[in-house]
Amino acid sequence: MSDEEEFPLARAELIALFLESMVFGAFTVLYAIAIWILLYREKLRGKTTLNRMLFGTTTVMWILSVAHLAIDVVRAVEGFVVWGGTPGGTNAFYGKISDPTEVAKNVIYITMTLVADSFVTYRLFVVWGRVWWILVVPCTLLLATATAGYGACVEIGLAKEGNAIFADNLQPWIRAFFALSLTTNLLATFLIAARIMWSNRRVRKYRASAAAAGSHWEVIETMIQSAAIYSAALASLLGTYLAGSNAQYVCLDILQPLIGVVFTLIIIRVGLGYTMNDSVSGGGAGGNLSDRTGPGQLQTIGGHAYPLQPVAINVSVSRTHDRASFDGYDSKAGVSDLESGKASSD
């Protein structure tokens, strides 16, 4: 039994639309929370370039997800309502991959992927102290990903009638795109995590042991979890495509808003971490605990509160008494009293 008989294309597209709608709903909620965090932090910390870039990137992702979902709804109406009245009409509509709506949704997905990969590359650039040589390999992979992705869109637009997505002329482009995007994310995540660990090892001696053990792992854990979610979804998409299964349509449509979900989760986790640490270290209206004295106080560094290490200071004081100088001063004071008429009489 062929895959078309086991999992028809029309059924795959309908399930994909349902699951994409659910993930998009989650993305919309997370997008609203992320925007609130970015705007709230702007008021507290002042406007920063990173905040503006995060706001712009998240908004672009959300708009692209809206456009992608809208096209899927239009295609569903076209396929199930307009073409659904004839036997096999729905499968025939969805099988026509050169349809402008199919090409448009693929272009949107490629753009969404490139936006996410570009920001990951920028994050790598910032974490590594803005050294340009670290961008050579990631930027090369990014350009190759764009070439493979948009090249696949061109091939899809030029496909003949009845030419499936699994055609021989499309497979090299699509396989290359998925593999390059996965490699870019894994490489960038590994380099970012390695840089954070190396930086924290250098400053560990200035922190208390508990803070040194857990501070950098919180950041690394966030990065690894986010990369794992996206990588697992992308690997599933690549696996279903290589297997020639229509389930790849489900994975593809889910991945569009899932990219935004992963991106906003990083903003929310880091943003809420900053807010909670500010509440703990701020002490209300009294200011930061780092501005006070006393045992057990915290020093706020990069939005995280670290216990201060006690430091022993030895101070040596040397005193010299010059009695002759005091005698001379006393004699001058006596003369001054006589001249002013304040000398006591016997």
Side-chain angles (χ1 to χ4, degrees):
M1 183 178 293
S2 63
D3 181 73
E4 182 62 30
E5 296 176 349
E6 293 180 354
F7 195 34
L9 180 57
R11 182 183 302 173
E13 292 285 356
L14 190 60
I15 295 175
L17 178 60
F18 172 72
L19 294 178
E20 180 186 3
S21 301
M22 293 186 63
V23 179
F24 174 77
F27 178 31
T28 301
V29 174
L30 294 174
Y31 168 74
I33 298 174
I35 295 303
W36 176 82
I37 289 175
L38 292 174
L39 297 179
Y40 176 71
R41 284 180 59 192
E42 271 197 9
K43 292 181 181 179
L44 293 181
R45 300 172 178 274
K47 295 181 179 179
T48 63
T49 302
L50 182 59
N51 273 3
R52 288 191 291 268
M53 291 194 64
L54 287 171
F55 177 82
T57 304
T58 308
T59 303
V60 168
M61 286 183 173
W62 187 79
I63 293 174
L64 290 174
S65 295
V66 170
H68 192 275
L69 181 60
I71 292 176
D72 278 339
V73 171
V74 171
R75 285 176 57 80
V77 173
E78 185 77 13
F80 289 96
V81 177
V82 178
W83 289 67
T86 59
T90 302
N91 285 330
F93 171 76
Y94 281 113
K96 189 171 61 173
I97 63 174
S98 59
D99 188 87
T101 55
E102 176 68 18
V103 177
K105 65 176 289 187
N106 285 316
V107 170
I108 291 174
Y109 167 70
I110 301 300
T111 305
M112 181 81 159
T113 302
L114 292 176
V115 169
D117 291 351
S118 298
F119 194 86
V120 169
T121 304
Y122 171 76
R123 185 187 301 152
L124 172 66
F125 174 64
V126 171
V127 170
W128 276 79
R130 300 179 183 272
V131 291
W132 292 101
W133 58 265
I134 197 64
L135 295 178
V136 175
V137 175
C139 285
T140 302
L141 291 172
L142 190 62
L143 291 175
T145 303
T147 302
Y150 290 122
C153 293
V154 172
E155 289 291 335
I156 291 173
L158 298 177
K160 299 179 181 179
E161 293 294 332
N163 195 5
I165 195 69
F166 305 105
D168 294 336
N169 63 317
L170 290 175
Q171 289 194 21
W173 294 97
I174 297 176
R175 289 178 181 179
F177 171 77
F178 292 151
L180 288 169
S181 179
L182 182 60
T183 303
T184 302
N185 277 271
L186 292 178
L187 177 64
T189 303
F190 172 77
L191 291 176
I192 291 173
R195 178 67 178 187
I196 293 174
M197 293 180 64
W198 178 78
S199 298
N200 277 272
R201 287 188 63 183
R202 294 182 60 190
V203 299
R204 183 177 299 177
K205 60 182 179 179
Y206 299 110
R207 304 177 182 175
S209 58
S215 59
H216 63 284
W217 284 114
E218 180 181 351
V219 180
I220 295 174
E221 182 184 0
T222 302
M223 299 294 303
I224 292 177
Q225 288 177 352
S226 302
I229 296 174
Y230 178 73
S231 300
L234 191 57
S236 300
L237 175 57
L238 180 59
T240 53
Y241 180 78
L242 294 177
S245 173
N246 286 332
Q248 68 95 22
Y249 290 102
V250 179
C251 297
L252 181 63
D253 287 348
I254 292 176
L255 193 58
Q256 171 76 25
L258 185 63
I259 295 174
V261 168
V262 171
F263 188 81
T264 50
L265 280 176
I266 298 177
I267 298 176
I268 291 172
R269 179 162 183 179
V270 175
L272 290 180
Y274 272 115
T275 304
M276 292 176 64
N277 284 323
D278 289 343
S279 300
V280 172
S281 62
N288 292 336
L289 290 176
S290 58
D291 297 333
R292 307 172 188 168
T293 59
Q297 62 177 325
L298 303 179
Q299 172 67 49
T300 301
I301 302 176
H304 297 275
Y306 303 108
L308 293 181
Q309 294 266 28
V311 179
I313 301 176
N314 295 322
V315 179
S316 299
V317 179
S318 177
R319 297 179 180 178
T320 303
H321 298 279
D322 190 352
R323 187 64 249 176
S325 299
F326 281 107
D327 292 341
Y329 174 78
D330 293 339
S331 62
K332 290 181 181 180
V335 174
S336 177
D337 292 339
L338 289 173
E339 292 177 351
S340 60
K342 295 181 180 179
S344 59
S345 59
D346 293 334

